Amino acid sequence: MARLRNPKGQGRRLRDEIIVTGQRLLAAAVDERQFTVRAVADAVGVTMPSVYMHFPTRAALLSAITERGFGMFDHHLTESIARVQEPAERIRGLGRAYLEFAATHPGLYRVVFSIGPAKLGAGDERASFVALVDAAAACVPEIDARDAAIWLWSVVHGLANLRLTKPDFDWPATGPLIDEALNNLCVG
């Protein structure tokens, strides 16, 4: 069945639909190499040239998909601590929200952290990472906050990945693991 065209001047809607559909297909793919522009075009109900009108290359589409996913991740984490004032509780909240996002959106989590370019470099940090740096600075002011945030991020990211790749392992509860990581940071 042919897709109905968007009204004139609403090409942005098709662009967004391509990103959302691409994100869904990529999250469901076992391997990134299975992801094709043709599959996205077919799923949206448009021709490949319609996709290429918005994304000149597969890499450009992957970048847009990753950026949207990271935006969702950032929003989830920053919203989780929006009303939390105490620095250690902010770090705990960020850690729990990180693991929750990975557990509830495993395919999207994989897309965000494993596929395509994502802005993570100095001077171009994500909102979720800035929130972690700020919480670390307030919690342990005697050490470099960015280094502390990287350490905490590495611990939680490792835990998230392990939980996703080894679901049959007898994992302890999330809260105590995050508390132990925070205690190690504060003591160390």
Side-chain angles (χ1 to χ4, degrees), residues 95 98-99 102 109 152-166 169 171-178 181:
Y98 192 112
L99 294 173
Y109 177 82
L152 286 166
W153 179 28
S154 299
V155 168
V156 176
H157 180 73
L159 181 57
N161 270 336
L162 285 168
R163 282 179 176 256
L164 290 176
T165 58
K166 305 294 181 210
F169 187 77
W171 292 104
T174 299
L177 290 174
I178 292 172

Side-chain angles (χ1 to χ4, degrees), residues 66-67 70 73-74 98 112-114 116-129 146 150 153 157:
T66 303
E67 185 61 33
F70 232 129
F73 175 78
D74 284 343
Y98 192 112
V112 167
F113 286 103
S114 301
K119 299 172 190 161
L120 293 173
D124 200 19
E125 274 109 5
R126 306 299 314 197
S128 52
F129 186 69
R146 190 169 190 284
I150 290 170
W153 179 28
H157 180 73

Side-chain angles (χ1 to χ4, degrees), residues 70-131:
F70 232 129
M72 294 168 66
F73 175 78
D74 284 343
H75 179 76
H76 181 78
L77 267 64
T78 56
E79 280 296 305
S80 73
I81 60 161
R83 291 173 191 72
V84 179
Q85 298 300 316
E86 204 276 311
E89 284 308 310
R90 288 178 70 82
I91 290 174
R92 284 184 184 95
L94 286 166
R96 287 185 189 111
Y98 192 112
L99 294 173
E100 177 184 276
F101 186 89
T104 58
H105 307 289
L108 181 56
Y109 177 82
R110 182 181 54 78
V111 167
V112 167
F113 286 103
S114 301
I115 300 171
K119 299 172 190 161
L120 293 173
D124 200 19
E125 274 109 5
R126 306 299 314 197
S128 52
F129 186 69
V130 170

Side-chain angles (χ1 to χ4, degrees), residues 7 30 39 45 48 50 61 85 94 129 132 156 173 184:
V30 174
M48 285 180 50
S50 295
L61 178 55
Q85 298 300 316
L94 286 166
F129 186 69
L132 185 56
V156 176
N184 285 335

